[in-house]
Amino acid sequence: MPATEKPGFRFPSAFTILFALIMFVAALTWIIPAGKYQRVPSEALGKDVPLAGSYAPTEANPQGFFDVILAPVAGFYDPVEYTANAIDVSLFVLIIGGFIGVVTASGAIDAGIARAMVRLKGRETWMIPFLMALFALGGTTYGMAEETLAFYVLLIPVMIAAKFDALTAVAVILLGAGVGVLGSTINAFSTVIASDAAGVTFADGLVLRLIILVLCWVVTVAFVMRYAARVRADPTKSLVYDKKAANEAHFLKETPAEAATFTGLHKIVLILFALTFGVMIWGVSIGGWWMAEMSGLFLIAAIVIGIVARLGEGKLVASFVNGARDLLGVALIIGLARGIVVVMDAGHITDTILHSAEVGVAGLPRTAFILVVYWIEVGLSFFVPSTSGLAVLSMPILAPVADFAGVKRELVVTAFATASGMVNLITPTSAVVMGGLAIGRVPYERWLRFIWPLLAVLTLIIMAALALAVTFGAPA
């Protein structure tokens, strides 16, 4: 039986961590001087961008007690202007939960898992590289991030039924898509925006980013497969072994006997289920969709599947509400995480931090410059988890500085993309990280314990690639 948790110190929950970070950032607004860059409109980006060399102190706006209290609310929507912050992502998560609840009530998922386990017997481990390749493709091409939240409830039962654990499933999704974003090749929300802001084309530096993507993906897949093999051989090696029984009860809700029969109706439901995700991917990558459209898709898909599965009006509604209830904690965590960025922006310290970075890299040798820029972007990424937001914020400042250091601007773009992608594998300010861990019931400190050796290796790969590119590439 899984061991019970020992009495003593317990790592705080995600809610406590995030609220503590809100208070910490609010305290920084009393210490760090307020300042702003002048903004100029950019037709290419469709928004205002900071102007290098224009930083100036501004009136301080330290965040107090009531600002901290309102931060979780402001994380969902701006209470002054009534504009959305994370409310769209949180609503999407709730609707996804309802959708999964309806599909689960049909019995199709459990029956499909049972059939898949029979077909894959002896080859379950090879699901990992295949799925991670698909998620990485989404990450590197269109920045697949929030969309991955829809896949956790589907994949976790499959991995648990294959004698792995919930952490393996979380790693396949979060690291698969995350490594793709880290090695963004043509990601419109990362390298394309950053390249435009830096004054270069996104094709510049593409080969280097592709090399980084391949190397990091191979290392990450090997890391996850090694962990999965250890857990399958000895379940006590799982970092979430103490939650094994609870996770099996939560994610494998049907008994083997009930799940054994795979009917024609189950097939139809699973086809509709897969088609829904296919439409979502098309809509995001080609149709210009975002949270509202995706939420509407899963809402209507839940209704259609409920009708096809002949659940009846009462069971359909109850299944949808219960499924949404299961992900309510995830939706709240997402808003709380966004509240950190809200406090920092309201305190006018974001530009001050960026200005410190601009001053710090001036006059450095070429190799030192690009490596320092990488670590600056790592630091900024903890406060600005949005890749597009960080690109618009930092590239107009750091890219022109690269000209004085004799470093090509596309290398600064690559340093930004890899740094942002790296941090977004672990940062507690990211709704993707905290939401995925919450769905998988993986404590944050267990995730850090799992991933730190991989982060060290990936960091060495990225720094070596940047250094070699500067050393053997032509000066700017």
Side-chain angles (χ1 to χ4, degrees), residues 134-135 138-140 142-148 151 177-178 181 187 280-281:
L134 293 179
F135 286 120
T140 194
Y142 69 92
M144 190 179 195
E146 285 87 353
E147 304 92 319
T148 60
F151 291 90
V181 174
N187 177 3
M280 179 193 75
I281 293 171

Side-chain angles (χ1 to χ4, degrees), residues 30-355:
W30 291 81
I31 300 171
I32 298 176
K36 286 267 186 191
Y37 280 100
Q38 294 180 19
R39 257 67 175 180
V40 294
S42 169
E43 294 184 6
L45 300 178
K47 58 181 70 177
D48 293 343
V49 298
L51 183 64
S54 66
Y55 175 84
T58 189
E59 184 178 353
N61 186 33
Q63 300 294 283
F65 175 78
F66 290 106
D67 297 304
V68 170
I69 296 301
L70 287 177
V73 177
F76 288 106
Y77 75 98
D78 187 328
V80 177
E81 299 182 359
Y82 290 93
T83 54
N85 282 327
I87 188 66
D88 54 349
V89 181
S90 297
L91 182 60
F92 171 66
V93 167
L94 292 177
I95 292 178
I96 281 289
F99 168 77
I100 297 297
V102 171
V103 178
T104 300
S106 73
I109 288 181
D110 296 280
I113 290 172
R115 175 62 64 88
M117 291 305 98
V118 172
R119 296 281 180 87
L120 288 170
K121 191 170 182 61
R123 303 188 302 274
E124 294 89 348
T125 303
W126 293 105
M127 287 191 296
I128 294 174
F130 174 73
L131 291 171
M132 291 185 74
L134 293 179
F135 286 120
L137 180 63
T140 194
T141 53
Y142 69 92
M144 190 179 195
E146 285 87 353
E147 304 92 319
T148 60
L149 295 174
F151 291 90
Y152 285 94
V153 184
L154 168 64
L155 187 57
I156 292 172
V158 174
M159 289 296 178
I160 292 178
K163 307 302 180 187
F164 301 127
D165 63 359
L167 179 54
T168 302
V170 171
V172 167
I173 299 173
L174 185 52
L175 293 181
V179 166
V181 174
L182 181 153
S184 290
T185 51
I186 57 173
N187 177 3
F189 301 103
S190 178
T191 52
V192 173
I193 289 179
S195 296
D196 284 341
V200 296
T201 71
F202 71 87
D204 295 324
L206 180 61
V207 174
L208 176 61
R209 292 193 293 272
L210 184 60
I211 292 172
I212 291 174
L213 171 64
V214 172
L215 291 176
C216 291
W217 182 85
V218 170
V219 169
T220 303
V221 169
F223 180 81
V224 175
M225 290 183 71
R226 178 175 176 269
Y227 172 81
R230 289 175 56 203
V231 169
R232 199 170 189 209
D234 182 359
T236 63
K237 299 295 184 182
S238 169
L239 291 179
V240 290
Y241 178 65
D242 59 312
K243 302 179 180 295
K244 183 174 185 295
N247 284 342
E248 288 175 351
H250 179 77
F251 291 110
L252 303 178
K253 296 179 180 178
E254 300 285 339
T255 65
E258 291 171 324
T261 304
F262 189 58
T263 66
L265 184 58
H266 288 151
K267 293 180 182 179
I268 295 174
V269 169
L270 289 181
I271 289 172
L272 292 173
F273 183 86
L275 183 62
T276 302
F277 284 90
V279 172
M280 179 193 75
I281 293 171
W282 171 87
V284 172
S285 59
I286 299 176
W289 288 11
W290 196 226
M291 290 299 159
E293 293 82 1
M294 289 192 295
S295 297
L297 168 67
F298 282 100
L299 178 61
I300 192 63
I303 295 172
V304 170
I305 288 175
I307 294 173
V308 170
R310 299 193 290 272
L311 296 182
E313 185 270 342
K315 188 174 181 180
L316 193 162
V317 173
S319 300
F320 188 92
V321 172
N322 289 333
R325 184 186 296 120
D326 287 342
L327 296 188
L328 177 60
V330 178
L332 294 175
I333 282 174
I334 290 171
L336 195 58
R338 188 68 65 87
I340 298 170
V341 179
V342 169
V343 169
M344 190 173 70
D345 288 342
H348 304 320
I349 63 173
T350 305
D351 284 6
T352 301
I353 295 172
L354 181 61
H355 175 65

